[in-house]
Amino acid sequence: MDQALSNIEQDPRFNREVSAGPLSKARLKRTKLFFLTIAIIGLLPSILGLSPALQSAGLGLLWPGGGFVAMGGWSLLMIPVFYGLYWLTLVVWFGTGNILAPISVWVLGAIIPGFMMGDTTVVWPYAPHLVLALVALREGRDIYKNRKQLSEAIARREKRKAYLAKALSNVDARAIPEAAAGSRELDEKQLASVRYLYERALQPIGQFQGYNKIDQFQTSALRYQINTVGYALAEMQCHYTPNFHGYLNDAQQRLIEQMLQKPIWGYWPLENMWGNFNFNFDPCAKDNIMLTGFFGLQICQYMSNTGDMRYAEPGSLTFIYSDNKQYKHDIHSVIGSIVNNQNEQAFCLYPCEPNWVYTPCNFMGMKALVLYDRLFGTTHFKDVYPQFIKQLDAEFTQADGSVIALRSNLTGFAVPFPFADDGRALYFNPINHQRAKEAWALARAEMFYREDGVLKIKLEGKGVDMGNYSQGQQANIQNLLSAAKEFGDAEAANTAEQLLEEMYPPKFENGTAIYPGSCSTNTTLARAFMFGANDYLNSVLKGPSESALNGPILTGIKYPEVLVAKAFSHSGADLELVLYPGDGNREVNFVIERLQANTSYDCVIAGQSAQHQADADGRLQLSASLDGRCVVTLTPASA
């Protein structure tokens, strides 16, 4: 892991004069040479005075729909039409990995006018000049835009270099201590958001009520919504309820099972065919870190919190495409896919959609490696980290020190995609705390300001909720809230939470808090409300305490009759519970398992003491009258 910055002036990430590393430059050069070759081939028919059809087709190679220029007159109107279609297919390529889409439009823009020309039509004399002018304008625009962006990034970097050392010191000064294990319980506001998670996680396999159903290729895809529900439940279990299994475990197992269904991962056969020209439908083979990275982390968090190692068994993760087409995996092969792809890719970071490398997705994969190594004693993260961080710095870092979110693995081009420093701060904390703290220092300095002594947040533009592509600042506020809580910045967290409640107050349905916005925003907000200092880091690097992993567990209750705000074993022999009614006041029965067989326990329920004996299987059934917050404690009876 990197040490604290001793001298930012010597840090190569803050002294770059380019935003493309050696590998990206090589691929950009290769791309330019390819297009230059195509352009020369396209101009030759005009230079050599070949047939009108060939001249038209050749001009179509220089510019999408450029062949229509050769016809002159009304055909010139087809230029903006084909150029618009070409840009639309670029969006399709970006969104789904379908590289055939832009190629097809470009080729058709050459073939169609070539056939329309015939050998008797005269070529418009100004056609080559107009097409070359369009190419020159595009190249000039791109050069100007790139230089402007680089100049702005360098100017921003110089400002950052002037304040970053102090900003880092301020992050440390503001940070509240980490909460002691077993010291926290969920409050009623947090429980209202937790209900949002359960109501999605506990439905039957194959049902997706309450999820956004827009597309399965980009950020609104069901898989990401399922992942975020799983992550939020995992954080809750790790820090608040590690000794509650019951329907909490059931919810997480159902989420994992949902991920194996065709509606969730069935996008991959299409993407692999039209992006990689590969007909292997296995989602854990080539690329696809947007599944293996996110899913691997979700599974490992569940195993870490519960000690349930069922997903290490062969075939325990079987992706179902049809009755006769299934792909048997387990956590070992899912993680193995990440490692194999990292080792095979020149960038080390590897694609989600074919040809598109997203740094946030690769961060998820690295966290999955960290957790897997902790669970199984391997060294995958340690082995790949030096190359990963080298390539991240060289190929995916802007001149201002921020991370480039998206780069084409094929062409080397970087594409603007939202991934602010507050998001990087949270995503990267379990990978490298110092780097993550640096990102939060940048976000804190640039996205917060004081007005009349009151801390406020800068919200630029209209914002976008990537979970449903709607306008709004909910997701941006959530990112700031999550990062602030992760770095123990209580003032920033309170500011973000107050702004959220002012701009986007929730509505309540049967006790469930629902904030305006997508399912993904609601689930990440539920997690944000639960976060404490370094919670995300500790859930990945440490997991629950040994006492919790070995102590008694709560089972035998139903959702929503009983809501569990705390379940923790402090010694490995005792159990502390905090329960709330979730469906009206009632008398409830519950079961405590993993007790010492035939052993007596002192039990206090809502202040009433009694002694009970566990049965031969280490089980004990109890009851409580729930009409509000109810505390239950169980300790071995004194001799």
Side-chain angles (χ1 to χ4, degrees), residues 337-345 348 350 366 369 384 388:
S337 171
I338 297 172
V339 174
N340 291 339
N341 276 279
Q342 288 173 329
N343 290 331
E344 292 171 1
Q345 288 287 344
C348 188
Y350 69 93
M366 290 297 283
L369 296 189
V384 77
F388 180 89

Side-chain angles (χ1 to χ4, degrees), residues 6 57 68 106 162 189 242 264 269 286 301 322 330 368 450 459 480 492 506 525 532 538 551 554 571 576 636:
S6 58
F68 288 99
W106 199 305
K189 176 181 178 179
I264 306 303
K286 179 179 174 59
Q301 280 194 300
S322 63
D330 50 51
R450 290 193 182 275
L459 293 176
L480 290 169
L525 276 172
N538 288 329
L554 168 66
S571 67
E576 179 186 3

Side-chain angles (χ1 to χ4, degrees), residues 229-456:
V229 174
Y231 297 153
L233 290 175
E235 292 298 324
M236 179 186 71
Q237 188 166 40
C238 183
H239 301 296
Y240 294 88
T241 63
N243 293 86
F244 171 40
H245 286 197
Y247 67 72
L248 174 52
N249 280 23
D250 183 27
Q252 294 174 90
Q253 291 165 19
R254 292 193 195 192
L255 291 170
I256 292 170
E257 186 69 20
Q258 293 275 42
M259 288 289 294
L260 304 174
Q261 309 306 308
K262 183 180 176 181
I264 306 303
W265 69 274
Y267 67 91
W268 183 246
L270 293 172
E271 290 200 7
N272 205 26
M273 286 189 291
W274 64 41
N276 287 323
F277 308 119
N278 187 322
F279 293 86
N280 182 358
F281 287 10
D282 188 343
C284 299
K286 179 179 174 59
D287 296 346
N288 204 18
I289 195 172
M290 58 187 169
L291 185 140
T292 53
F294 282 79
F295 192 31
L297 178 61
Q298 180 182 352
I299 297 164
C300 286
Q301 280 194 300
Y302 170 77
M303 293 194 299
S304 171
N305 290 337
T306 63
D308 181 357
M309 307 304 285
R310 69 180 64 195
Y311 300 113
E313 296 298 319
S316 54
L317 299 170
T318 296
F319 292 87
I320 302 169
Y321 190 80
S322 63
D323 290 342
N324 57 3
K325 193 181 289 289
Q326 300 182 2
Y327 300 92
K328 295 185 180 297
H329 284 280
D330 50 51
I331 190 58
H332 304 304
S333 60
V334 170
I335 296 299
S337 171
I338 297 172
V339 174
N340 291 339
N341 276 279
Q342 288 173 329
N343 290 331
E344 292 171 1
Q345 288 287 344
F347 279 117
C348 188
L349 290 81
Y350 69 93
C352 296
E353 278 82 20
N355 302 310
W356 295 108
V357 180
Y358 289 76
T359 48
C361 294
N362 280 270
F363 292 170
M364 304 306 284
M366 290 297 283
K367 287 177 286 195
L369 296 189
V370 173
L371 244 171
Y372 180 87
D373 287 346
R374 178 165 65 79
L375 291 172
F376 294 98
T378 50
T379 60
H380 297 310
F381 177 85
K382 180 181 177 181
D383 294 341
V384 77
Y385 181 79
Q387 180 67 5
F388 180 89
I389 207 71
K390 175 185 175 183
Q391 295 296 74
L392 179 68
D393 289 351
E395 308 294 344
F396 296 90
T397 299
Q398 303 178 61
D400 63 3
S402 292
V403 165
I404 294 170
L406 177 61
R407 188 179 289 281
S408 168
N409 190 50
L410 177 66
T411 66
F413 286 116
V415 178
F417 193 84
F419 185 48
D421 289 305
D422 51 314
R424 175 165 64 105
L426 180 67
Y427 268 53
F428 216 66
N429 202 30
I431 300 172
N432 184 311
H433 176 67
Q434 179 59 36
R435 293 266 185 128
K437 185 170 71 172
E438 173 191 289
W440 174 239
L442 295 173
R444 185 63 155 83
E446 296 176 358
M447 301 184 73
F448 290 81
Y449 67 100
R450 290 193 182 275
E451 185 176 274
D452 299 327
V454 179
L455 189 67
K456 295 191 174 182

